[in-house]
């Protein structure tokens, strides 16, 4: 079993990373493989709405969005999006990254029935808004969103400060435990041949202006 973690901060080893590592360590202790991706410091392009992915099943841009998409659904079972809080929302980098990751995955339905969580890091305020933003991707893609003992947030401007946020870090560790449990439960369900939650219908899209 494998969980992919994305650090949506340009700081490769900053606060968001510190929180992600706390979850990652628990997942690893529970025998779950992990792979961490960095959005990095270079600009991350947003979606240009070309819709070529509707035909090809992947984003035409050659960057780590493609790499992450290629891991789903066969090679990964869970996704964690991490973001610093920028003006009470997620970072522009993770927004661009996730827009393209999820839009280009619609054709293949890559994330259906995978487990997911968002985590955020802020100095002082806006964490809940940013956390909600991340969860929006999961909640319209048939994903199982994993919770913890509190909303998944840590506080600090530097990793050393995050390390003092004992409740925040505990929230991360419990998230790791909860996610590991759910992954094991799904694995057991598969062995017991429990029927997957598949709705045997074509996905209906009705725009508000019909025929558009
Ligand atoms: C452009 C920008 C906007 C920010 N906006 C907020 C904010 O709205 N609320 C807040 O508490 N911190 C804000 N911060 C601080 C970061 O969210 C905070 O320091 C975070 O923990 C940094 O995570 P990182 O080390 O992973 O980059 C902002 C930082 C930047 C660079």
């Amino acid at each position: 079993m494998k969980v992919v973690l994305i650090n949506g901060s340009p700081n490769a080893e900053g606060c968001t990373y510190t929180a992600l590592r706390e979850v990652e360590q628990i997942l690893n202790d529970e025998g779950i493989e992990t792979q961490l991706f960095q959005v990095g410091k270079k600009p991350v392009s947003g979606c240009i709405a070309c819709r070529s992915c509707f035909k090809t099943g992947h984003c035409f841009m050659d960057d780590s969005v493609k790499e992450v998409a290629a891991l789903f659904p066969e090679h990964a079972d869970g996704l964690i999006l991490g973001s610093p809080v920028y003006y009470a929302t997620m970072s522009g980098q993770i927004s661009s990254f996730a827009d393209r990751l999820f839009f280009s995955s619609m054709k293949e339905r890559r994330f259906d029935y995978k487990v997911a969580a968002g985590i955020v890091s802020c100095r002082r305020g806006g964490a809940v808004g940013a956390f909600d933003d991340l969860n929006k991707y999961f909640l319209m893609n048939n994903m199982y969103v994993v919770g913890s003992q509190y909303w998944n947030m840590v506080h600090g401007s530097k990793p050393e400060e995050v390390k003092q946020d004992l409740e925040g870090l505990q929230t991360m560790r419990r998230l790791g435990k909860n996610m590991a449990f759910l992954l094991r439960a799904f694995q057991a369900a598969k062995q017991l041949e429990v029927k997957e939650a598949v709705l045997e219908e074509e996905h209906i899209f009705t725009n508000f202006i019909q025929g558009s």
Side-chain angles (χ1 to χ4, degrees), residues 7-18 83-89 120-127 154-159 161-162:
N7 179 13
S9 167
N11 298 313
E13 298 197 352
C15 302
T16 312
Y17 171 82
T18 306
S83 178
V85 176
Y86 285 179
Y87 293 97
T89 182
V120 296
S121 174
C122 76
R123 184 188 71 82
R124 190 165 181 83
V154 293
H155 287 79
S157 293
K158 300 185 209 119
E161 289 171 4
V162 171

Side-chain angles (χ1 to χ4, degrees), residues 39-189:
V39 294
K41 289 193 193 291
K42 290 194 190 138
V44 180
S45 175
C47 177
I48 62 161
C50 66
R51 291 169 198 257
S52 62
C53 59
F54 283 13
K55 292 191 193 113
T56 63
H58 57 81
C59 183
F60 77 92
M61 294 182 212
D62 246 333
D63 62 10
S64 52
V65 167
K66 219 182 210 172
E67 258 181 89
V68 171
L71 292 171
F72 291 89
E74 281 91 10
H75 311 293
D77 310 283
L79 178 70
I80 300 180
L81 295 181
S83 178
V85 176
Y86 285 179
Y87 293 97
T89 182
M90 60 188 149
S91 71
Q93 291 91 328
I94 197 78
S95 171
S96 294
F97 190 101
D99 281 359
R100 288 196 288 116
L101 179 65
F102 280 92
F103 209 66
S104 64
S105 295
M106 283 218 294
K107 183 174 186 282
E108 312 283 340
R109 304 243 36 110
R110 277 193 188 95
F111 295 105
D112 277 11
Y113 319 121
K114 301 291 181 183
V115 302
I119 68 124
V120 296
S121 174
C122 76
R123 184 188 71 82
R124 190 165 181 83
V128 167
F131 180 60
D132 290 346
D133 291 335
L134 294 176
N135 283 329
K136 284 181 180 121
Y137 292 101
F138 315 138
L139 290 167
M140 64 164 296
N141 278 288
N142 295 313
M143 299 182 86
Y144 297 107
V145 181
V146 185
S148 185
Q149 63 192 27
Y150 196 80
W151 300 304
N152 306 330
M153 60 179 73
V154 293
H155 287 79
S157 293
K158 300 185 209 119
E160 305 83 73
E161 289 171 4
V162 171
K163 285 183 182 146
Q164 292 173 54
D165 179 5
L166 299 185
E167 184 174 351
L169 290 179
Q170 189 177 61
T171 302
M172 297 302 140
R173 292 195 295 277
R174 197 177 290 265
L175 171 65
K177 286 273 180 194
N178 291 346
M179 188 173 268
F181 169 78
L182 207 59
L183 287 168
R184 275 198 304 274
F186 284 147
Q187 198 179 45

Side-chain angles (χ1 to χ4, degrees), residues 25-54:
Q25 244 148 35
I26 294 286
L27 289 169
N28 293 158
D29 291 349
E30 297 276 331
I32 290 158
E33 200 192 326
T34 51
Q35 190 170 353
L36 193 139
F37 287 81
Q38 302 275 359
V39 294
K41 289 193 193 291
K42 290 194 190 138
V44 180
S45 175
C47 177
I48 62 161
C50 66
R51 291 169 198 257
S52 62
C53 59
F54 283 13

